[in-house]
């Protein structure tokens, strides 16, 4: 198997993991509030990566490097991304959140062109719009809508989507200086610190600190938090950071929409939701968009291979 195929398999695995995370997140939120869920999520994630590092099984190799640059990426994602998303969903619906998050590849393409000087063809630009359009079309046909009256929630969700795009560009930029493991470690550490601090302060001010441990008594919550903590946070971050070190940020960004497609199909398979014609039409646009965005990358890789031969 060629390295190029491995890269795209990692990207597809990333999309598959984040797609199923929606189901498990819904289970966790049925037991705990968003901030406490995020605190548990990143506690599991950070411990999962800290233990092998502390035991010496894995070497980070950060000595002599500008660690503050890693802290910057962790500030944008997961800290600011999830914070804006959590508070945005207080004022807006989850369907509105899904529609707005689909815009992330557009933000990524613009930021990558400006900061990374990534050049995109008209085919790639149209493919990004097709992918975004596929997600929006499915959600609209399911009855979702954008309620402009929820301006506060919409603004926060847009900021959340922008933070995801900034992360993609930063991770791509830092991939020449840091490994995927080093970037992921910083992300999990910042998520652990930020969300545990928010959770503890929130419970302390309300005098409900003992309630912080209540969710772990629920077996469904434990299973859900293990999935979103280990797979959806840690493993997906490792995959994302690895792929971003190999392909352009604009190419990787469209796999976020594949994750949305997976979550919709998961609802059909596991929640017995109806598979309608608009799911198929939307899926064609999403998958076609992914193929179109990455077409130039495959062609350029082939040309490079011929030139070096």
């Amino acid at each position: 198997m060629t390295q190029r195929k491995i890269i795209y398999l990692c990207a597809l695995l990333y999309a598959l993991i984040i797609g199923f995370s929606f189901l498990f997140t819904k289970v966790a939120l049925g037991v705990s509030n968003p901030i406490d869920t995020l605190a548990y999520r990143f506690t599991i994630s950070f411990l999962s990566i800290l233990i092998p590092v502390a035991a010496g099984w894995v070497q980070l190799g950060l000595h002599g490097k500008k660690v503050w640059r890693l802290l910057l990426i962790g500030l944008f994602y997961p800290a600011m991304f999830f914070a804006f998303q959590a508070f945005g969903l207080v004022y807006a619906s989850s369907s509105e959140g899904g529609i707005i998050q689909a815009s992330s590849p557009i933000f990524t393409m613009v930021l990558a062109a400006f900061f990374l000087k990534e050049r995109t063809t008209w085919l790639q630009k149209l493919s990004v719009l097709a992918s975004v359009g596929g997600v929006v079309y499915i959600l609209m046909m399911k009855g979702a809508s954008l309620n402009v009256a929820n301006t506060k929630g919409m603004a926060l969700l847009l900021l959340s989507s922008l933070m995801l795009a900034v992360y993609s560009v930063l991770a791509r930029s830092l991939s020449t200086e840091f490994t995927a493991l080093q970037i992921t470690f910083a992300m999990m550490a910042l998520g652990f610190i930020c969300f545990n601090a928010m959770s503890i302060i929130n419970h302390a001010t309300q005098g409900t600190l003992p309630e912080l441990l209540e969710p772990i008594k629920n077996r469904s919550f434990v299973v859900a938090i293990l999935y979103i903590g280990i797979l959806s946070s840690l493993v997906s971050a490792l995959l994302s950071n690895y792929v971003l070190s190999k392909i352009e940020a604009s190419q990787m960004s469209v796999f976020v929409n594949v994750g949305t497609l997976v979550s919709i199909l998961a609802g059909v398979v596991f929640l017995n939701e109806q598979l309608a014609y608009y799911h198929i039409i939307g899926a064609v646009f999403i998958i076609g968009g992914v193929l179109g965005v990455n077409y130039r990358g495959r062609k350029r890789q082939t040309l490079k291979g011929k030139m070096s031969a």
Side-chain angles (χ1 to χ4, degrees), residues 14 18 38-39 41-47 49-50 60 62 67-82 163-172 174-175 178-196 229 231-244 252:
Y14 160 82
I18 63 171
L38 287 170
R41 176 178 186 163
F42 284 99
T43 296
I44 294 295
S45 302
F46 183 56
L47 289 177
I49 197 171
L50 178 64
L60 276 180
L62 288 172
V67 180
W68 64 268
R69 298 186 69 190
L70 287 177
L71 299 179
L72 183 64
I73 195 173
L75 179 64
F76 283 104
Y77 185 96
M80 294 176 70
F81 168 77
F82 281 109
M163 293 306 102
L164 183 60
V166 172
Y167 149 70
S168 298
V169 172
L170 273 177
R172 175 69 176 165
L174 295 176
S175 64
F178 299 97
T179 65
L181 177 65
Q182 291 168 343
I183 295 173
T184 303
F185 185 87
M187 290 166 58
M188 299 304 105
L190 260 292
F192 168 77
I193 293 169
C194 291
F195 294 117
N196 273 284
L231 288 176
S232 184
S233 296
L234 178 57
V235 176
S236 68
L238 282 168
L239 290 169
S240 177
N241 290 327
Y242 168 72
V243 174
L244 282 167
M252 176 58 185

Side-chain angles (χ1 to χ4, degrees), residues 28-62:
L29 290 174
V31 179
S32 181
N33 64 64
I35 298 301
D36 287 356
T37 298
L38 287 170
Y40 275 107
R41 176 178 186 163
F42 284 99
T43 296
I44 294 295
S45 302
F46 183 56
L47 289 177
S48 297
I49 197 171
L50 178 64
I51 291 173
V53 169
W57 304 332
V58 176
Q59 299 295 323
L60 276 180
L62 288 172

Side-chain angles (χ1 to χ4, degrees), residues 89 92-101 139 142-146 157:
L89 289 174
S93 68
S94 58
S95 59
E96 288 172 329
I99 293 171
I100 292 175
Q101 186 163 309
L139 294 174
K142 288 181 68 176
S145 62
L146 292 176
L157 288 170

Side-chain angles (χ1 to χ4, degrees), residues 210-277:
E211 295 180 9
L212 185 56
L213 299 177
E214 286 297 315
I216 60 175
K217 298 177 183 179
N218 186 295
R219 183 179 298 179
S220 297
F221 178 83
V222 172
V223 172
I225 212 68
L226 285 174
Y227 181 92
I228 61 177
I230 297 174
L231 288 176
S232 184
S233 296
L234 178 57
V235 176
S236 68
L238 282 168
L239 290 169
S240 177
N241 290 327
Y242 168 72
V243 174
L244 282 167
S245 71
K246 303 298 181 182
I247 65 175
E248 295 178 347
S250 55
Q251 291 176 282
M252 176 58 185
S253 65
V254 291
F255 284 94
V256 173
N257 288 343
V258 176
T260 304
L261 174 61
V262 170
S263 68
I264 292 169
L265 295 178
V268 172
V269 176
F270 295 101
L271 300 180
N272 296 318
E273 295 179 357
Q274 184 180 2
L275 179 65
Y277 71 92

Side-chain angles (χ1 to χ4, degrees), residues 92-149:
S93 68
S94 58
S95 59
E96 288 172 329
I99 293 171
I100 292 175
Q101 186 163 309
S103 67
S104 180
I106 297 176
F107 286 130
T108 302
M109 185 170 61
V110 173
L111 292 175
F114 187 79
F115 291 104
L116 301 179
K117 309 304 178 185
E118 290 184 2
R119 296 180 180 178
T120 53
T121 63
W122 278 107
L123 172 62
Q124 287 179 304
K125 291 182 176 70
L126 291 173
S127 297
V128 168
L129 292 177
S131 178
V132 171
V135 175
V136 174
Y137 172 73
I138 291 174
L139 294 174
M140 289 289 192
M141 290 300 291
K142 288 181 68 176
S145 62
L146 292 176
N147 185 357
V148 292

